[in-house]
């Protein structure tokens, strides 16, 4: 399954990231997410054709896993710079739990890290980013401990 960022060209409105084996399947997933049975049903209810709706969509393949990893790494880098990710903190079982990363700070950091798509990824994949952050945090703290 691939991930696709779907944007309406005429309004520049980002609809989100949708999964599908193809861009067409991702478009169908977007229509279902909007409450329609299919793109055809959406077109019929809005008084247009599926071809016209499809022509107004920009569908871009997105490497979500790569973006999640990059965002988590930047979060860890920021924590390391602040002293929150150090060998001394490894013994603390609460350390690296990402509790300091609320949705707003994560979205802002994600946007800074990878551009506007980062905010969308942070909003849709917050739990996956938090899991990746915890793994990356532990790796960074252990590497710092090994280096000392």
């Amino acid at each position: 399954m691939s991930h696709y960022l779907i944007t309406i060209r005429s309004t520049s409105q980002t609809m989100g990231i949708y999964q599908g084996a193809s861009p067409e399947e991702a478009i169908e997933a977007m229509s279902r997410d909007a409450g329609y049975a299919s793109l055809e049903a959406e077109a019929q209810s809005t008084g247009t054709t599926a071809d016209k709706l499809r022509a107004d969509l920009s569908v871009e393949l997105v490497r979500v896993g790569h973006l999640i990893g990059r965002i988590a790494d930047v979060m860890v880098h920021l924590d390391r710079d602040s002293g929150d990710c150090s060998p001394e903190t490894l013994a603390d079982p609460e350390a690296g739990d990402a509790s300091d990363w609320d949705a707003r700070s994560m979205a802002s950091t994600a946007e800074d890290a990878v551009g506007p798509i980062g905010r969308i990824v942070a909003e849709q994949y917050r739990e996956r980013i938090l899991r990746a952050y915890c793994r990356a945090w532990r790796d960074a703290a252990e590497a710092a401990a090994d280096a000392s």
Side-chain angles (χ1 to χ4, degrees):
M1 231 9 123
S2 297
H3 295 83
Y4 296 90
L5 173 68
I6 301 179
T7 306
I8 299 175
R9 292 181 185 165
S10 61
T11 63
S12 299
Q13 180 180 2
T14 300
M15 300 307 293
I17 297 172
Y18 294 91
Q19 289 185 348
S22 67
E24 188 60 37
E25 281 188 19
I27 291 170
E28 288 294 327
M30 179 195 67
S31 290
R32 286 190 304 277
D33 189 47
Y36 298 99
S38 65
L39 184 67
E40 295 290 334
E42 182 177 354
Q44 187 176 22
S45 102
T46 58
T48 188
T49 67
D51 287 339
K52 285 182 182 176
L53 286 178
R54 204 175 286 108
D56 195 26
L57 296 176
S58 168
V59 183
E60 177 185 344
L61 182 64
V62 177
R63 293 177 47 209
V64 169
H66 171 76
L67 294 173
I68 287 170
R70 177 73 183 120
I71 293 164
D73 288 345
V74 168
M75 290 166 58
V76 168
H77 177 76
L78 293 171
D79 280 352
R80 193 171 42 235
D81 287 352
S82 72
D84 290 341
C85 182
S86 66
E88 296 78 35
T89 59
L90 269 176
D92 179 359
E94 300 294 316
D97 70 355
S99 60
D100 291 339
W101 287 98
D102 62 20
R104 183 181 301 166
S105 61
M106 182 189 290
S108 176
T109 298
E111 188 168 13
D112 291 346
V114 297
I117 195 170
R119 184 170 292 277
I120 297 163
V121 172
E123 290 167 355
Q124 288 189 238
Y125 297 96
R126 178 174 166 71
E127 293 304 315
R128 283 181 58 187
I129 292 170
L130 290 174
R131 285 192 303 273
Y133 164 85
C134 291
R135 284 190 305 271
W137 187 96
R138 283 268 168 215
D139 291 346
E142 287 171 2
D146 291 344
S148 358

